[in-house]
Amino acid sequence: MHPNLLILGGTTEATALARAVSEAGLTGTVSFAGRVDRPVRQPLPQRVGGFGGVDGLATYLRAHKITHLIDATHPFASAMSHNAVAASAQADIPMVALTRPPWSAQPGDNWTNVPDIPAAVAALDRPACNVMLAVGRMHLAEFAPNPQHTYLLRLVDPPKAPLPLPKTEIIVDRGPFSEASDRTLMETHQIDLVVSKNSGGTGASAKLAAARALGLPVLMIDRPPQPKRHELATPGDVLTWIHSTNLGV
Ligand code: 3Y8
Ligand code: NAP
């Protein structure tokens, strides 16, 4: 049976996998939620938008005769990852996650680890300072209880609605970022503290290297819990898994 893959994307690893799948001459589709105006062009056909929960994804898998589901979403996309595990079981389709390890503090780092966004908000209950809040757009409202700070926000698209924070500087940019540009950004805005998700990977790590170089403290938000699932680390591992689970060949 010829493999027909669905890759749940939105990460550097998903794009690398799509390229490897395309170069291997396999059929696949990359899926985006539709969070940003212009998702990066993919080397495979792509679809945009939610599936409609677990049942919606299971229906999509069957209707499109998907043979393998690869969850290459971001470590903080935990609802999607939970749905992927449930829908693949419901549709009886093999599923694997392509993921990357979390970052860990290195010599010279000054990190405070917090378990989740509410704990990061609690840790910001302190005298006003300049905070680089590099966690995107979707959870900004949760940071409203600390209006005393001046926030440097980096957003993929220009804000379409008023922001829930009174003192902000907006940078519209998408990763991957470089240490030099992040260091200049922090110096220009006299940043005192960096708030980061522990996303792992290479696309967002520049701000950590810049913070280390400048001796700045980092508030590091741990990943949300993920469901139990088969996890792989590289596109090559995924291609091997596809061939080993491609029944009837
Ligand atoms: C829509 C699709 C690729 C993928 C590139 C990676 C790296 C660059 C760094 C900072 C941190 C942040 C954010 C970030 C990075 C990669 C990767 C990554 C962080 C795009 C993309 C989509 C999104 C969604 C977006 C979220 C936001 C998070 C910005 C494409 C560009 C902060 C996560 O405005 C919004 O609604 C933005 C929403 C989810 C988190 C949030 O809560 O706001 N990603 N990011 C995907 C979809 O629609 O399904 O255009 O490529 C992808 C990438 N962003 O192929 O090269 O692999 O992680 N993305 C974080 O890590 O903290 C920026 O500023 O330092
Ligand atoms: P989430 O909270 O886990 O998912 C919420 C809902 O969004 C899902 O239930 C699903 O809707 C839809 N969805 C999520 N990812 C999708 C995908 N790849 N294709 C189709 N529908 C998707 O997800 P999120 O944190 O908002 O992340 C959304 C996307 O941005 C993902 O592709 C993720 O890889 C990417 N991203 C997220 C972050 C981050 O920090 N969260 C960082 C970088 C990239 P239905 O239930 O209707 O199917």
Side-chain angles (χ1 to χ4, degrees):
M1 153 181 54
H2 284 292
N4 180 23
L5 317 181
L6 177 64
I7 300 170
L8 302 177
T11 58
T12 312
E13 290 74 15
T15 300
L17 174 61
R19 187 166 300 113
V21 164
S22 172
E23 286 165 2
L26 296 176
T27 303
T29 304
V30 180
S31 176
F32 290 101
R35 290 275 177 276
V36 298
D37 294 345
R38 293 177 322 288
V40 77
R41 292 299 311 151
Q42 291 293 316
L44 289 175
Q46 56 200 64
R47 66 169 297 287
V48 179
F51 297 98
V54 173
D55 293 344
L57 177 52
T59 301
Y60 180 95
L61 293 171
R62 284 190 289 262
H64 290 77
K65 297 185 175 39
I66 300 297
T67 58
H68 298 76
L69 175 62
I70 299 101
D71 175 4
T73 58
H74 188 275
F76 278 71
S78 59
M80 186 71 258
S81 293
H82 279 84
N83 287 4
V85 168
S88 62
Q90 194 175 317
D92 194 21
I93 304 276
M95 188 217 99
V96 77
L98 175 60
T99 185
R100 66 241 183 151
W103 297 310
S104 46
Q106 298 175 24
D109 282 339
N110 173 7
W111 290 9
T112 302
N113 287 292
V114 290
D116 51 28
I117 287 178
V121 175
L124 287 171
D125 181 9
R126 51 189 283 181
C129 67
N130 298 333
V131 177
M132 179 175 181
L133 188 58
V135 297
R137 171 192 64 84
M138 288 163 53
H139 297 273
L140 288 182
E142 297 182 56
F143 289 87
N146 292 293
Q148 70 274 22
H149 301 307
T150 299
Y151 292 96
L152 174 63
L153 302 179
R154 180 149 61 188
L155 305 174
V156 177
D157 297 317
K160 298 177 177 68
L163 293 166
L165 300 163
K167 293 183 283 182
T168 59
E169 315 258 343
I170 311 286
I171 304 281
V172 177
D173 196 0
R174 70 168 62 202
F177 305 104
S178 75
E179 177 181 344
S181 65
D182 275 6
R183 180 168 174 164
T184 304
L185 201 56
M186 293 175 189
E187 288 173 321
T188 307
H189 292 273
Q190 298 179 313
I191 296 300
D192 301 304
L193 172 68
V194 178
V195 181
S196 173
K197 290 176 181 171
N198 197 332
S199 313
T202 54
S205 57
K207 60 181 177 283
L208 305 180
R212 185 182 310 127
L214 295 172
L216 292 179
V218 174
L219 200 49
M220 183 59 75
I221 304 169
D222 291 343
R223 297 172 169 191
Q226 288 287 23
K228 199 171 157 0
R229 70 226 170 127
H230 181 192
E231 294 185 355
L232 296 174
T234 70
D237 295 342
V238 174
L239 293 181
T240 304
W241 171 78
I242 289 165
H243 293 308
S244 69
T245 51
N246 193 19
L247 314 173
V249 179

